Amino acid sequence: MSAQAVAAPREKVAAPEHRETYLNHDYSWKSWLFTVDHKRIGILYLLTVAFFVAIGGLFAMMIRAELLTPKGDMLEAETYNKIFTMHGAVMIFFFLIPGVPGVLGNFVLPLMIGARDVAFPKINLLSWYIFVTGGLLTLFVAATGGVDTGWTFYAPYSSTYSNTRVAETAIMVFITGFSSILTGLNFLVTVHTMRAPGMTWFRLPLFVWSAYATSLINVLATPVLAITVLLLALERIFHIGIFDPRVGGDPILFEHMFWFYSHPAVYIMILPAMGVISELVAAFSRKRIFGYSFVAFSSLAIAVLGFLVWGHHMFVSGQSAYAGLVFSVLTVLIAVPTAVKIFNWTATLYQGSVEFATPFLYVLAFFGLFLIGGVTGLFLAAMGLDIHMHDNYFVVSHFHYVMVGGMVTAFFGGLHYWWPKMFGRMYNEAAGKLAALVIFVGFNLTFFPQFIVGYMGMPRRYHAYAPEFQTLNVLSSGGAVILGAGYLLAALNLIWSLKFGKVVTERNPWGATGLEWETQTPPIPHNFEVTPRVTQEAYAYHEMYSGKEAHGVH
Amino acid sequence: MLQELPLTPPSASTFAPQVDALYWFLVILSTVVTVGIFCAALFLSIRYRRKPGVAPGNIEGSLKLELLWSFIPGVLAIGIFAWGAKVYFYAAKPPKDVMDFYVSGKQWMWKVQHPTGQKEINDLHIPVGRAIRFTMTSEDVLHSYWVPAFRLKKDTVPGRYTEMWFQATKPGKYHIQCAEYCGTKHSGMIGECYVLEPEEYQRWLSGNTGEAPEVAGQKLFENLRCVTCHMAGQGQRGPELTGVYGTKVQLEGGGEVVMNDEYIRESVLKPLAKVVKGFQPVMNTYEGQVGEEEIMQLVAYIKSLKAQGGVKQ
Ligand code: HEM
Ligand SMILES: [Cu+2]
């Protein structure tokens, strides 16, 4: 059966009572905890990242509550420092990095390439166990003393002066890193070896390209983080003289090693999200992605360039000014492949057949927020300006726009898009749209004032601040409540749908291309009844809809 | 003017207007870009919203457009880089005639020594219109000295010296804040910078006495007995220090090093790391006997030996 060509968006499958799906073929808890099915592992990731993001969100609310007034009157200084540290560490290591690859990547990547599973299903499960172990132990460390170094763990504060539980946390980060490395390896091998017949590299959906680029970074950069935090733990316990100048070490070396991983890590967070946006733009405008190969290669360009810019976090650290020049010019150049993506997505809409469904509203929100995040990155990349901006709230706002406005918005869009395929139920559309709108408004209210207060001179990681910064902080805290309500509404809507949502049995409720829409909804345990054969490029919407009425299934 | 808007901190150094100019340029540019692209996406979505009976078009892409929208952002990006670099290098290159201040960060306070010896904690009093250079270090963890009104900050790093220079342009009182997270009371590591008219500054100085760093340094030089080896004239055991600051020194076992603040500091704490050609590795370390402030005074003294061309009295 020629898969994509025959894919009929309106295919009706009678709802037989005993349709076997990956969800209902076995209900035992063992079948979940020992599953090697990539789809079930995706669901496990969904549950666990949801748990971690809720914890991280709670910390965020405590931060915003403290910052309502200039005095540090709600929390002790040390408690505040521990809370922002845990907020950053939990969000980055246990939500932003594993979120899209762990949940959406696991669920859809094998489906998209027409595979039965990932290349190493057991290792895939192992990744999840490592991730959960690392996460839970980190929370345990947080609950039994905590750590107050900031997620950046700068030495020699972390190695020598902090009397919180730095070594334990470093070891947790070390452990969790292996989860990223293994998932990365798994995806690389899967994409290389498991593609269905006819699924050539240039027929891959763009989500697969970006997951591939991300996996490359994961495999190459995460070991550096592992070494860095391990050395940090060793320095702390044995004072071996790597980072602490009192025993012959160099704190700037720590900064270099930390950012050598952590800058590429920001692309680990955003590239998969960009892949999701490519899928959504195509599906909801029913158009081939404009400039497919430029979008694909821009992911690789970002992955490669991303390794060469880490010094832009160190313009005022005492790093050589000439090194700074190189880092600055390479940083601004990353804006080019990023811009290429945005322009191609926008151009895709031209002559499209655009449906303003919930996932598409998230696409528009992503455009707005990610654009602001990207252009403010250029402010920071301009070295002279960064002298003033570095470590103030402008930076905080910049990275929330890219990571939360970018990655989280795309994640929610993708989740709504693939939700019916995952669970065979449809959420309430009106509530879905409302949530997207509330998130967009709440996000801007929370973070836009932080650009201004940063330029006005408010440093980050301050428990108490000068009175003139209060108005903007109150605005930001108010916005955070709205933003939180938006996320909660979106989450509740999805949860509600599991029981009360409209049942979806159609294979392709959105009328989209892609092999994941050609299998049963929800898929059978082994994904495809017969191995699909691919005869067309990705996003063959024209072939699908030309001559026919544009089809409004949904 | 722009600096009166409450959107920016006061502008009180020669550097500040340069930063503000670049900032406002970028604000305008990025507003145009962001609003432009977002509105284009919104417009296209509405214009091509789904209508029954209308099939989507079939477009592969366009090499011309790809090149265009790579080239234009590329040129803009390089422009931003170049402007940013120009501003940065202004801050990196102090003018010739500067007043040398020594700053040391410590959990959770700033310690400052004036060229005339006065010391302050947290606050800073400086004259308007004079170029001032900070030589900075830290006694414990990383800190960062930030005066938003000057748009300047620089990390202070234990075991190293960093430098920052500025020239205040407007008398007034401005915040000093530590910008690099340094532990529990990080947000309390703050002070006020008082920019004073020159006469006022003189009055402030005379109300606070102290020894000029190079004078204090000379006393240390004698008390710590540095003088026995380094100023003994004929057959001395240690290299001559008069007139060598800023010059290149040949090392035992090959190589050379510039005699600068870092090298002096290293020689006091780890004398055997780089031994000057023709000398025995006999100097003992002063680690534990001298603090960062005292090392800075020794540096100031050795610097003054260059300026005076001989032992200063
Ligand atoms: C056009 C693209 C971008 C440019 C030019 C850019 C530039 C920069 C620069 C120069 C800094 C350092 C600022 C400072 O500390 O003084 C920075 C910080 C940061 N950026 Fe970006 N960035 C871009 C995109 C992104 C993306 C896509 C992400 C994440 C998804 C991201 C996440 C971050 C984070 C997390 C930090 C701060 C980390 C910390 O100090 O804790 N950036 N960015
Ligand atoms: Cu970066």
Side-chain angles (χ1 to χ4, degrees):
Chain A
M1 190 163 126
S2 163
Q4 291 191 335
V6 184
R10 72 193 98 80
E11 177 180 355
K12 286 207 177 54
V13 174
E17 288 84 68
H18 44 261
R19 241 168 24 120
E20 194 190 32
T21 74
Y22 81 102
L23 289 169
N24 70 9
H25 78 102
D26 189 343
Y27 286 106
S28 67
W29 61 268
K30 264 193 189 155
S31 73
W32 278 94
L33 289 183
F34 297 108
T35 181
V36 289
D37 178 348
H38 68 98
K39 301 183 288 305
R40 285 192 163 202
I41 293 173
I43 306 293
L44 291 178
Y45 268 105
L46 177 59
L47 290 171
T48 35
V49 298
F51 170 73
F52 287 120
V53 81
I55 305 260
L58 214 64
F59 290 134
M61 288 301 162
M62 290 166 83
I63 295 173
R64 286 315 325 163
E66 171 62 67
L67 295 181
L68 272 171
T69 57
K71 284 209 190 86
D73 41 16
M74 192 184 101
L75 302 163
E76 294 289 320
E78 189 169 335
T79 316
Y80 179 82
N81 296 344
K82 286 178 180 171
I83 285 177
F84 77 66
T85 301
M86 285 321 291
H87 166 69
V90 167
M91 287 300 202
I92 288 178
F93 296 116
F94 302 107
F95 174 57
L96 293 168
I97 290 177
V100 173
V103 180
L104 301 176
N106 259 318
F107 193 92
V108 299
L109 186 128
L111 289 170
M112 278 181 160
I113 62 171
R116 273 178 59 159
D117 207 316
V118 292
F120 309 112
K122 284 185 187 145
I123 291 183
N124 200 17
L125 182 64
L126 179 64
S127 294
W128 182 74
Y129 272 103
I130 295 173
F131 163 70
V132 174
T133 310
L136 291 180
L137 288 177
T138 302
L139 291 184
F140 175 74
V141 170
T144 55
V147 56
D148 73 340
T149 58
W151 82 280
T152 44
F153 300 108
Y154 271 17
Y157 183 66
S158 57
S159 64
T160 314
Y161 290 86
S162 169
N163 43 31
T164 58
R165 303 184 62 179
V166 182
E168 293 91 324
T169 314
I171 290 166
M172 294 316 135
V173 171
F174 176 78
I175 293 175
T176 311
F178 284 95
S179 164
S180 294
I181 295 173
L182 292 179
T183 302
L185 270 176
N186 221 335
F187 284 1
L188 287 180
V189 178
T190 305
V191 175
H192 272 278
T193 62
M194 310 271 292
R195 284 169 286 125
M199 181 59 93
T200 59
W201 282 87
F202 288 96
R203 287 178 181 171
L204 287 173
L206 288 163
F207 179 75
V208 179
W209 273 98
S210 62
Y212 184 85
T214 310
S215 302
L216 267 180
I217 310 179
N218 259 325
V219 170
L220 294 176
T222 316
V224 179
L225 175 74
I227 293 163
T228 309
V229 294
L230 196 65
L231 288 177
L232 176 63
L234 290 176
E235 177 81 332
R236 198 171 159 87
I237 301 168
F238 302 111
H239 309 289
I240 48 184
I242 306 166
F243 303 131
D244 182 356
R246 289 204 308 192
V247 280
D250 182 357
I252 307 253
L253 175 67
F254 180 86
E255 294 181 42
H256 280 295
M257 291 183 71
F258 180 81
W259 289 114
F260 186 82
Y261 165 77
S262 292
H263 183 80
V266 309
Y267 294 106
I268 293 177
M269 301 176 226
I270 199 66
L271 277 173
M274 292 171 153
V276 170
I277 294 298
S278 290
E279 296 305 314
L280 299 186
V281 168
F284 291 93
S285 64
R286 295 206 170 144
K287 277 272 308 290
R288 180 195 307 283
I289 287 286
F290 193 92
Y292 169 97
S293 52
F294 287 90
V295 179
F297 280 114
S298 63
S299 293
L300 293 182
I302 289 173
V304 172
L305 271 178
F307 272 103
L308 305 173
V309 301
W310 75 90
H312 66 210
H313 296 269
M314 300 168 61
F315 290 142
V316 300
S317 68
Q319 154 184 279
S320 130
Y322 296 98
L325 274 181
V326 177
F327 287 125
S328 176
V329 75
L330 290 170
T331 302
V332 297
L333 286 180
I334 290 206
V336 175
T338 313
V340 163
K341 281 187 190 280
I342 304 252
F343 285 125
N344 279 298
W345 290 326
T346 308
T348 303
L349 300 170
Y350 174 70
Q351 289 192 3
S353 168
V354 179
E355 185 190 3
F356 282 81
T358 303
F360 190 71
L361 293 197
Y362 281 105
V363 170
L364 290 175
F366 174 94
F367 276 16
L369 303 180
F370 186 74
L371 272 166
I372 296 178
V375 293
T376 51
L378 287 171
F379 284 62
L380 300 172
M383 306 163 80
L385 204 45
D386 191 61
I387 295 179
H388 180 55
M389 303 296 213
H390 176 67
D391 271 349
N392 79 25
Y393 259 86
F394 193 97
V395 176
V396 175
S397 191
H398 156 69
F399 67 68
H400 281 87
Y401 265 90
V402 275
M403 302 202 299
V404 184
M407 180 279 183
V408 182
T409 305
F411 180 68
F412 269 79
L415 205 56
H416 282 81
Y417 175 56
W418 283 299
W419 193 260
K421 179 59 69 180
M422 291 169 123
F423 296 107
R425 296 268 185 174
M426 189 55 105
Y427 49 83
N428 179 294
E429 180 67 12
K433 283 185 172 141
L434 180 66
L437 193 69
V438 175
I439 288 172
F440 185 71
V441 173
F443 186 92
N444 282 303
L445 259 177
T446 310
F447 291 105
F448 205 84
Q450 295 184 4
F451 284 129
I452 302 169
V453 86
Y455 200 79
M456 278 173 65
M458 177 160 165
R460 69 192 279 202
R461 297 174 172 175
Y462 261 37
H463 165 237
Y465 55 85
E468 64 263 34
F469 304 141
Q470 187 174 12
T471 315
L472 288 161
N473 272 289
V474 171
L475 261 178
S476 184
S477 294
V481 174
I482 299 177
L483 179 60
Y487 285 133
L488 210 60
L489 177 59
L492 289 178
N493 186 23
L494 292 176
I495 295 169
W496 170 90
S497 77
L498 291 178
K499 198 150 173 61
F500 305 105
K502 198 179 111 236
V503 174
V504 180
T505 49
E506 292 162 88
R507 296 189 165 217
N508 193 355
W510 303 110
T513 63
L515 296 180
E516 78 268 32
W517 300 111
E518 298 187 9
T519 181
Q520 176 186 286
T521 298
I524 55 172
H526 291 301
N527 292 355
F528 298 97
E529 293 91 345
V530 264
T531 305
R533 295 196 155 272
V534 182
T535 55
Q536 275 175 316
E537 287 176 59
Y539 314 118
Y541 282 101
H542 185 72
E543 290 78 350
M544 193 164 179
Y545 289 104
S546 60
K548 296 176 197 161
E549 244 187 36
H551 197 91
V553 187
H554 175 65
Chain B
M1 269 310 293
L2 293 174
Q3 41 273 60
E4 304 327 317
L5 283 174
L7 298 177
T8 63
S11 165
S13 73
T14 53
F15 185 60
Q18 306 186 39
V19 173
D20 283 353
L22 178 52
Y23 175 70
W24 288 112
F25 167 75
L26 284 173
V27 167
I28 293 166
L29 178 70
S30 53
T31 308
V32 171
V33 168
T34 309
V35 172
I37 298 177
F38 187 70
C39 287
L42 208 59
F43 168 79
L44 289 173
S45 313
I46 294 170
R47 165 71 183 74
Y48 295 104
R49 68 188 173 281
R50 191 160 301 169
K51 290 184 195 121
V54 182
N58 185 28
I59 303 167
E60 283 275 344
S62 147
L63 182 62
K64 262 197 207 129
L65 277 177
E66 300 291 347
L67 292 178
L68 187 73
W69 63 43
S70 303
F71 184 71
I72 293 177
V75 169
L76 286 175
I78 296 291
I80 293 168
F81 154 75
W83 191 342
K86 182 170 159 271
V87 175
Y88 187 88
F89 273 83
Y90 177 84
K93 296 237 150 44
K96 282 264 145 24
D97 179 28
V98 291
M99 293 170 72
D100 271 307
F101 282 59
Y102 295 92
V103 176
S104 160
K106 178 180 185 328
Q107 280 178 329
W108 290 278
M109 62 179 87
W110 293 110
K111 301 201 269 186
V112 184
Q113 289 185 62
H114 288 247
T116 41
Q118 285 78 356
K119 290 187 187 172
E120 301 186 67
I121 297 224
N122 290 346
D123 291 347
L124 172 70
H125 292 76
I126 51 166
V128 69
R130 287 291 307 274
I132 288 169
R133 175 170 60 189
F134 277 8
T135 298
M136 307 195 289
T137 190
S138 162
E139 293 175 24
D140 39 44
V141 303
L142 298 174
H143 303 278
S144 192
Y145 199 98
W146 184 26
V147 185
F150 298 166
R151 310 290 187 275
L152 271 173
K153 79 165 67 68
K154 189 75 165 222
D155 287 4
T156 67
V157 183
R160 290 196 188 202
Y161 291 119
T162 52
E163 261 187 26
M164 167 166 107
W165 83 273
F166 52 89
Q167 179 170 336
T169 52
K170 225 169 61 185
K173 181 180 155 192
Y174 310 106
H175 294 309
I176 299 164
Q177 304 175 113
C178 175
E180 183 61 70
Y181 176 69
C182 60
T184 309
K185 298 214 182 89
H186 171 53
S187 65
M189 192 164 163
I190 52 177
E192 298 293 338
C193 169
Y194 298 87
V195 176
L196 307 173
E197 296 291 353
E199 318 80 68
E200 267 185 278
Y201 179 64
Q202 283 312 322
R203 226 173 301 136
W204 183 85
L205 285 180
S206 49
N208 291 267
T209 47
E211 254 171 343
E214 64 268 22
V215 176
Q218 182 177 12
K219 285 197 182 143
L220 281 170
F221 199 76
E222 284 156 12
N223 294 341
L224 294 168
R225 313 302 304 152
C226 315
V227 65
T228 50
C229 295
H230 289 284
M231 299 261 165
Q234 278 295 318
Q236 58 189 13
R237 285 195 289 164
E240 176 63 49
L241 297 178
T242 303
V244 290
Y245 183 85
T247 62
K248 283 198 181 130
V249 180
Q250 302 300 317
L251 295 179
E252 197 55 37
E256 55 183 29
V257 63
V258 177
M259 170 75 112
N260 60 11
D261 301 10
E262 299 276 2
Y263 179 55
I264 296 171
R265 184 177 180 282
E266 183 184 55
S267 302
V268 172
L269 297 176
K270 297 197 190 68
L272 308 186
K274 299 192 186 90
V275 177
V276 175
K277 195 169 186 131
F279 290 90
Q280 297 298 315
V282 292
M283 179 171 159
N284 291 323
T285 173
Y286 285 84
E287 180 126 40
Q289 293 182 54
V290 289
E292 293 294 349
E293 276 172 286
E294 284 154 331
I295 300 174
M296 283 177 173
Q297 290 165 343
L298 285 166
V299 168
Y301 172 60
I302 292 168
K303 248 188 198 169
S304 78
L305 294 177
K306 182 205 176 198
Q308 308 287 324
V311 178
K312 190 184 164 190
Q313 277 312 326

